[in-house]
Amino acid sequence: MVEPSLVLYGSLYEEALRVLEETLRETGTRYALLVDRKGFVLVHKEALWAPKPPPLDSLATLVAGNAAATQALAKLLGEARFQEQVLQGERMGLYVDEAGEHALLLLIFDENAPLGKVKLYGKRAAEALARLAEEALAHPPHLTLDTEYREKAKALLDDLLS
């Protein structure tokens, strides 16, 4: 089974969420996501005024695949990488930036969000999120079940199976 290459818990998750909220406010974008390079949504936030979002899992998978293809194109052209991508349609656009080696920042915006602001604050957010991702990789969480939960679960299983 494929699993995320990066997981955010506790204070790191809360800090990533705060960065996304701030970025939404500063840019006027509709949705902000932190996605790992395998296509898993790690953290997401939507603007209060935004309509129902597109399917985030599908979007994350496609963006991760597109980022991988874009990196292959960069190498063919002799570049180490292309750090950011902007895709714009008539009404909607995507801004994708590297958030370190293991994650991508995705901002979804409409025609009312100035592209300059999206790129400026998106770059700042990607840098902050890259630091959080590195910290999460350097100090992975050690999740344990507390004793009370374990004892209650054991008792419940004993009752069911005896």
Side-chain angles (χ1 to χ4, degrees):
M1 180 167 109
V2 178
E3 295 181 4
S5 57
L6 174 67
V7 180
L8 300 174
Y9 286 107
S11 62
L12 290 177
Y13 177 87
E14 294 299 325
E15 181 63 17
L17 192 59
R18 187 197 63 73
V19 168
L20 294 182
E21 288 173 344
E22 184 177 308
T23 304
L24 287 174
R25 245 187 348 269
E26 292 170 330
T27 60
T29 54
R30 290 184 177 196
Y31 314 101
L33 296 87
L34 181 63
V35 176
D36 80 348
R37 291 197 183 256
K38 292 181 181 178
F40 289 95
V41 177
L42 303 172
V43 184
H44 68 90
K45 188 69 182 166
E46 62 188 60
L48 292 175
W49 53 267
K52 182 181 175 192
L56 299 181
D57 291 337
S58 298
L59 192 59
T61 302
L62 291 169
V63 164
N66 190 42
T70 300
Q71 295 311 333
L73 287 171
K75 292 203 184 316
L76 284 174
L77 297 173
E79 291 289 331
R81 67 184 199 269
F82 291 144
Q83 190 167 340
E84 68 178 15
Q85 299 175 48
V86 177
L87 306 169
Q88 282 188 277
E90 289 182 30
R91 296 178 330 243
M92 297 297 294
L94 299 175
Y95 172 82
V96 181
D97 199 346
E98 292 183 338
E101 291 182 32
H102 302 282
L104 302 164
L105 169 66
L106 169 60
L107 300 176
I108 303 171
F109 58 96
D110 62 21
E111 70 272 5
N112 296 319
L115 181 57
K117 272 186 153 181
V118 171
K119 291 179 76 169
L120 174 69
Y121 291 108
K123 180 72 57 198
R124 184 181 300 168
E127 291 168 358
L129 292 167
R131 287 189 295 274
L132 294 174
E134 290 304 316
E135 188 174 338
L137 288 168
H139 308 324
H142 180 67
L143 301 177
T144 59
L145 297 176
D146 66 359
T147 306
E148 180 183 355
Y149 178 84
R150 189 174 353 167
E151 293 302 319
K152 286 183 179 180
K154 185 176 185 273
L156 180 61
L157 285 171
D158 286 344
D159 286 346
L160 288 171
L161 299 174
S162 56

